[in-house]
Amino acid sequence: MRFTVRVWRQREENSRGALVDYAVEDVSPDMSLLEVLDQLNERLTSEGEEPVAFDHDCREGICGMCGMMINGVAHGPQRATTACQLHMRHFTDGQTITIEPWRSSAFPVLKDLVVDRSALDHIIEAGGYISAQAGAAPDAHAMPVPKRDADRAFAAAACIGCGACVAACPNGSAMLFTSAKATHLGLLPQGQPQRYTRAENMIAAHDDLGFGGCTNTGECTQVCPKGIPLETIARFNADVLSSALRDHRDED
Amino acid sequence: MFTVGAPLVDGAVPEGPVTERWERRRFSARLVNPANRRARSVIVVGTGLAGGSAAATLAELGYQVTSLCYQDSPRRAHSIAAQGGINAAKNYAGDGDSVWRLFYDTVKGGDFRSRESNVYRLAELSTRIIDHCVAQGVPFAREYGGLLDTRSFGGAQVSRTFYARGQTGQQLLLGAYQAMARQIDAGRITMLPRTEMLDLVVVEGKARGVVVRDLVSGEVSVLLADAVVLATGGYGNAFFLSTNAKGCNATALWRAHRRGALLANPCYTQIHPTCIPVSGEHQAKLTLMSESLRNDGRVWVPREAGDPREPGNIPEEERDYYLERAYPAFGNLVPRDIASRAAKNVCDAGRGVGPGGLGVYLDFADALRRLGKPAVEAKYGNLFEMYERITGEDPYQRPMRIFPAVHYTMGGLWVDYDLQSTIPGLFVIGEANFSDHGANRLGASALMQGLADGYFVLPTTLGDYLARGPFPEVERDHPDVVATASAVERRLTALLDVKGTRSVDSFHRELGHLLWDHCGMERTESGLRKALEHIPQLRAEFWRSVMVPGTAEGLNPSLEKAGRVADFLELAELMCLDALHREESCGGHFRAESQTGEGEALRDDDRFGYVAAWEFTGTGEPPVLHKETLAFDNVRPSQRNYK
């Protein structure tokens, strides 16, 4: 197969970027899109040109490090698939593939396709945890958890923090990410003591970090590679709203 | 090719029965007064299960921690990709498990090349890991009664593996990451993502800091502390194709080795039996399919070599379920080394399936008939999906194709019972050290080791070191600090200055082929000698003709890769030398010259019942071999037999 890859090239955070076309040939349908970029990069390198910088690591769809707009869609056209697991058999021979970085004011572009997503870490730091000191836990069987709750908590916990939800959201909101974590912890009995302060602190950090508000457009769930359901946002909103009615200031 | 130096004595192992050693060590460890802890500082390199849990726990105790990782977030460490599960001797299944049995299985599984004292401690602490992770909110799989579910894994006949669907590593890592996040918010961890350690600062014989490069700005700087912890994972990426994340590298280990830390058993690489086969030359990495699939999947190949038929058209009697046939007691659940070599043997005999004949079938047809699709989907759904995504084939309709691939390295920096390397103040935990797995690692034991080291062992033993002091302040203009930092700068410049014509990847790929062919699942003396001849030539060629575009300022992925591959080119030579000197077969390391009449691996305890710990003397110079004799007082070494 052969393709034209149209890639966003930007030297550094404060320089101007532009889309540049590259022809790639001898592409096997079994290759992933990132392997096509690897192949392009080897060629650019041998020609003494700087290769395209992009974030990637596990290439198994679980670390959440890769992420790019592919033909205008976060992680590309395949549903529930990260960019690293997107294989060329899903494209048409001869096609032009446009690749751009995540665009969000909370995610500055560092170079080419690489963006700074540390704002997502700061949301977790604001409260996305259960305060448990190592070494003092009771026996794991001391607190049974209904299977249904554990399974639903797991479904929310599957979030890989890639930021596709932010990239797809017309408001640049990180609500799907934030609510996935709050839902994971809030569904488990262990997460109850900090449930409402967690919601309040996480939403405050979310807003402070420059993410937009959520208007339930649902674009986020369309591109989420892990299929995090929109219901998590409703659940989180319920916690945020009811936290305002609760006297929980002394919880933490 | 090498010289033999003074033997190593197993430092810091307490006396007495193996069951009491950790308790004794805990009691003898000195304590740091809570008010004094904030005056002590520790650098933790790496944020996987070992590094993340260590950083969080040290900060909880009150130490000032600086944590760094090369990824953009600590949550991306490659522990996140571990699928199958984590072992613990809880005996929740009531099937006769115990701390002693987990200890026994692990020592035996490691083919009697691990340390009894360390392994016992690991088994003992395993139960507390589960308790702690549940308290953190890790959503382990549950039974309908609300209690934790377990399953069995390769090399075990009890059900002791706790899991969170096929994403156990992810959930455990997020637990440690969230514990870190809490401490970052509290100001007790300074987190430096996109930061790579490029050298170790040793002052007056003690580890006192690291030289790092900010991967975004390119700035090289020195971080100083009272102690340094390496939790940087393994070096499987030396093989180019492996199941490791692309960024996993050996630089931190190799730099510490060059500064005097001994490197133990570098030839011990685990080859995992259930990976998706290579599809072509362009392939960047391999994907592992959880070993838990072998609980219900049956492994087979056609009886006839070169059988061209579709799997569905091959009748039962013309299939060879070779693991069930040769190992009736364990069947498809034999340990990884056995399963890997068996797959290699049937493929070598021309009975492999798929492109190039490098694959065997992992078939769920029986399980689908027996359990129904919904039950199979509930257990393995995400793995089936992943397989389909990569190969374009539907495993519900057609058996998966699997083949062994490089997965985990059991070798690593030598550490004593306290997890301290031969450089005082340099501690090494998780996959980066050598201590617990021996010549082979059983399934679901790596996560256990990472978390045991980070949550429970290191906080005790490092506390003891920090209580011993004093730790006079190191000045930034101390000659050793300045020399180390400028060596790093010189090396970066040297890589950029070669300005040759070959890409870094082309060297990495060539090195990987050499290692896989000669230092992989089957080794011969002549093959290893060939590799030892080629590697220095390839290294020279690298420094003559590598092309690293760009500059040292700013984000430069080519420069990052070049530094890592330069280190792999040195490490690979030591891997082959270690493999050459170990003339026995053990674990997954099959020396063709050392086998039983039935073609099984033949260990030689009398000659090789030791840990090989190597001392660096210079690039391309003969290293010094220090031996640590292994004593088995509790589990008598025997020929492993899974028949």
Side-chain angles (χ1 to χ4, degrees):
Chain A
M1 302 172 93
R2 49 189 301 170
F3 297 94
T4 301
V5 186
R6 180 170 293 168
V7 191
W8 184 257
R9 303 300 310 257
Q10 181 174 339
R11 241 196 116 58
E12 55 189 17
E13 190 174 340
N14 296 317
S15 63
R16 277 177 75 92
L19 284 164
V20 179
D21 281 4
Y22 301 97
V24 287
E25 301 193 0
D26 297 326
V27 172
S28 139
D30 288 332
M31 287 169 82
S32 71
L33 183 73
L34 301 194
E35 284 165 350
V36 173
L37 287 177
D38 290 339
Q39 188 179 318
L40 169 65
N41 279 345
E42 278 216 51
R43 193 185 85 209
L44 293 177
T45 303
S46 61
E47 290 163 0
E49 216 182 305
E50 270 208 65
V52 179
F54 61 100
D55 266 334
H56 63 96
D57 206 20
C58 80
R59 297 205 181 190
E60 294 183 19
I62 190 77
C63 79
M65 188 132 163
C66 67
M68 45 193 77
M69 302 299 283
I70 300 159
N71 289 340
V73 181
H75 287 300
Q78 281 298 104
R79 283 294 290 272
T81 304
T82 53
C84 65
Q85 295 292 291
L86 178 61
H87 288 77
M88 300 315 287
R89 65 179 84 93
H90 301 298
F91 292 92
T92 316
D93 200 2
Q95 198 182 342
T96 297
I97 303 171
T98 306
I99 306 177
E100 299 161 274
W102 286 167
R103 302 266 185 216
S104 159
S105 55
F107 292 166
V109 175
L110 299 176
K111 182 173 188 168
D112 299 340
L113 305 172
V114 178
V115 301
D116 177 358
R117 286 168 290 191
S118 51
L120 297 182
D121 289 314
H122 300 322
I123 293 176
I124 301 297
E125 287 154 22
Y129 49 77
I130 288 170
S131 299
Q133 201 96 348
D139 185 90
H141 267 180
M143 190 183 281
V145 179
K147 177 169 165 50
R148 190 180 143 82
D149 291 352
D151 286 352
R152 285 159 88 185
F154 180 88
C159 168
I160 57 172
C162 63
C165 48
V166 179
C169 178
N171 306 331
S173 173
M175 269 298 266
L176 193 65
F177 169 84
T178 310
S179 62
K181 184 46 61 191
T183 299
H184 157 208
L185 300 175
L187 278 169
L188 296 169
Q190 292 86 346
Q192 295 313 309
Q194 291 171 297
R195 180 169 167 187
Y196 296 99
T197 42
R198 176 182 308 121
E200 208 164 284
N201 292 338
M202 288 179 84
I203 195 67
H206 172 278
D207 294 350
D208 287 350
L209 288 159
F211 293 105
C214 171
T215 50
N216 274 304
T217 56
E219 286 291 323
C220 51
T221 56
Q222 295 301 301
V223 298
C224 176
K226 295 298 150 184
I228 306 293
L230 200 61
E231 146 207 334
T232 59
I233 296 185
R235 200 179 279 280
F236 181 57
N237 274 330
D239 281 0
V240 171
L241 289 175
S242 60
S243 76
L245 305 174
R246 297 171 69 96
D247 183 16
H248 58 77
R249 295 268 161 211
D250 52 358
E251 275 178 15
D252 244 2
Chain B
M1 288 172 126
F2 65 91
T3 58
V4 178
L8 276 165
V9 277
D10 181 3
V13 176
E15 298 287 306
V18 71
T19 53
E20 289 168 22
R21 286 178 195 164
W22 178 235
E23 197 43 49
R24 284 178 195 226
R25 180 70 193 108
R26 261 162 48 85
F27 185 69
S28 68
R30 296 194 203 183
L31 300 172
V32 182
N33 173 319
N36 291 338
R37 290 182 203 154
R38 36 178 188 273
R40 296 274 76 89
S41 57
V42 181
I43 294 165
V44 182
V45 185
T47 57
L49 286 177
S53 59
T57 310
L58 292 169
E60 282 166 8
L61 290 169
Y63 299 108
Q64 280 299 332
V65 177
T66 300
S67 165
L68 55 111
C69 65
Y70 70 78
Q71 298 92 341
D72 73 324
S73 162
R75 66 176 290 146
R76 314 226 192 268
H78 195 55
S79 306
I80 203 154
Q83 296 166 355
I86 178 164
N87 285 338
K90 282 284 199 185
N91 195 29
Y92 282 167
D95 55 1
D97 201 10
S98 63
V99 168
W100 191 269
R101 191 179 294 276
L102 176 53
F103 159 64
Y104 176 90
D105 285 353
T106 308
V107 170
K108 180 182 166 210
D111 220 355
F112 304 95
R113 292 293 173 265
S114 47
R115 247 193 225 146
E116 274 195 346
S117 308
N118 290 56
V119 176
Y120 190 87
R121 174 173 68 189
L122 179 66
E124 189 181 350
L125 291 172
S126 66
T127 59
R128 301 180 69 203
I129 297 172
I130 303 301
D131 298 340
H132 179 56
C133 293
V134 165
Q136 284 180 330
V138 170
F140 283 120
R142 300 253 168 190
E143 304 274 12
Y144 283 100
L147 301 179
L148 292 153
D149 192 14
T150 51
R151 59 187 173 194
S152 48
F153 243 65
Q157 286 173 310
V158 291
S159 186
R160 63 159 75 101
T161 306
F162 294 77
Y163 66 101
R165 247 171 253 178
Q167 285 137 270
T168 317
Q170 177 194 31
Q171 294 308 319
L172 294 172
L173 182 72
L174 291 180
Y177 157 76
Q178 286 160 205
M180 282 180 77
R182 176 173 162 233
Q183 298 303 323
I184 293 168
D185 193 52
R188 285 191 287 263
I189 296 181
T190 304
M191 183 66 226
L192 305 173
R194 291 196 196 271
T195 301
E196 182 165 32
M197 167 179 163
L198 292 181
D199 213 334
L200 179 76
V201 175
V202 180
V203 178
E204 278 146 27
K206 290 181 177 162
R208 291 303 302 269
V210 293
V211 181
V212 298
R213 178 167 180 267
D214 178 323
L215 298 180
V216 177
S217 70
E219 193 194 343
V220 171
S221 58
V222 175
L223 304 174
L224 296 171
D226 299 327
V228 176
V229 179
L230 297 189
T232 52
Y235 47 83
N237 264 345
F239 288 84
F240 186 69
L241 280 186
S242 80
T243 65
N244 288 262
K246 290 283 284 171
C248 293
N249 65 86
T251 288
L253 288 192
W254 190 251
R255 297 284 118 193
H257 175 60
R258 290 181 62 108
R259 295 275 166 209
L262 302 189
L263 185 53
N265 299 336
C267 80
Y268 286 174
T269 305
Q270 181 177 77
I271 316 277
H272 196 290
T274 55
C275 301
I276 300 178
V278 176
S279 67
E281 256 308 294
H282 56 75
Q283 192 123 3
K285 81 165 294 251
L286 297 173
T287 300
L288 179 148
M289 302 295 294
S290 167
E291 176 176 45
S292 65
L293 291 167
R294 288 195 281 141
N295 270 308
D296 289 303
R298 298 180 69 195
V299 176
W300 64 275
V301 290
R303 277 197 189 282
E304 288 299 315
D307 190 333
R309 289 174 292 178
E310 282 290 295
N313 297 336
I314 302 178
E316 275 299 306
E317 60 277 12
E318 293 174 45
R319 299 174 175 193
D320 182 11
Y321 294 90
Y322 59 88
L323 289 177
E324 297 170 32
R325 173 173 54 77
Y327 305 96
F330 281 74
N332 293 298
L333 285 176
V334 291
R336 293 174 176 182
D337 57 324
I338 307 266
S340 292
R341 229 168 54 75
K344 181 181 186 294
N345 289 342
V346 294
C347 291
D348 286 351
R351 297 197 289 145
V353 299
L358 293 177
V360 300
Y361 288 128
L362 177 62
D363 196 342
F364 279 79
D366 278 359
L368 286 162
R369 266 194 297 276
R370 191 176 73 241
L371 306 166
K373 189 175 170 188
V376 171
E377 202 169 359
K379 265 173 135 166
Y380 308 114
N382 70 311
L383 299 170
F384 278 37
E385 239 179 82
M386 187 171 82
Y387 180 84
E388 180 172 13
R389 200 155 284 159
I390 293 172
T391 61
E393 295 172 6
D394 176 6
Y396 292 102
Q397 301 294 332
R398 187 190 157 99
M400 297 184 187
R401 289 173 295 112
I402 55 166
F403 195 68
V406 168
H407 179 51
Y408 188 95
T409 47
M410 281 83 61
L413 291 180
W414 186 90
V415 288
D416 65 12
Y417 186 73
D418 284 350
L419 306 180
Q420 186 167 223
S421 71
T422 44
I423 301 176
L426 178 70
F427 291 76
V428 190
I429 61 179
E431 189 182 352
N433 76 26
F434 87 100
S435 67
D436 293 7
H437 301 305
N440 178 43
R441 181 176 76 73
L442 293 181
S445 62
L447 309 191
M448 181 170 64
Q449 191 214 341
L451 292 180
D453 285 0
Y455 281 132
F456 301 113
V457 181
L458 183 84
T460 301
T461 59
L462 182 60
D464 177 77
Y465 176 79
L466 292 172
R468 283 165 195 274
F471 295 95
E473 190 156 341
V474 177
E475 301 295 332
R476 265 160 209 282
D477 57 3
H478 187 288
D480 293 341
V481 177
V482 174
T484 310
S486 50
V488 166
E489 301 262 17
R490 274 201 309 278
R491 194 155 175 277
L492 290 168
T493 314
L495 287 166
L496 288 160
D497 282 351
V498 178
K499 290 203 194 313
T501 50
R502 271 185 73 177
S503 71
V504 175
D505 279 344
S506 75
F507 285 100
H508 195 177
R509 209 174 278 127
E510 191 174 337
L511 178 70
H513 277 303
L514 269 174
L515 279 176
W516 178 250
D517 288 346
H518 300 302
C519 197
M521 267 186 285
E522 185 164 328
R523 296 128 183 226
T524 60
E525 185 184 334
S526 68
L528 288 162
R529 287 194 187 279
K530 208 178 292 171
L532 283 168
E533 220 178 279
H534 278 157
I535 292 169
Q537 291 166 4
L538 187 63
R539 194 165 58 224
E541 169 74 6
F542 174 92
W543 284 102
R544 234 183 354 255
S545 61
V546 74
M547 174 64 200
V548 185
T551 64
E553 285 85 52
L555 191 63
N556 187 344
S558 307
L559 181 59
E560 292 165 26
K561 260 197 298 203
R564 294 166 191 166
V565 172
D567 286 336
F568 283 140
L569 282 163
E570 296 188 9
L571 169 66
E573 192 177 353
L574 189 60
M575 290 165 73
C576 292
L577 181 62
D578 187 43
L580 178 68
H581 108 282
R582 191 168 285 277
E583 288 165 358
E584 63 170 351
S585 295
C586 68
H589 319 98
F590 190 75
R591 270 297 283 270
E593 301 91 344
S594 179
Q595 49 184 303
T596 65
E598 292 172 311
E600 298 289 340
L602 181 63
R603 250 187 12 245
D604 186 344
D605 292 334
D606 292 341
R607 289 174 64 216
F608 295 102
Y610 59 78
V611 171
W614 299 90
E615 181 187 341
F616 183 82
T617 58
T619 307
E621 297 295 318
V624 184
L625 171 62
H626 299 271
K627 297 178 186 176
E628 176 197 331
T629 305
L630 291 164
F632 294 91
D633 304 323
N634 298 281
V635 186
R636 204 145 50 94
S638 55
Q639 184 67 29
R640 282 196 308 155
N641 182 359
Y642 292 90
K643 303 209 184 242

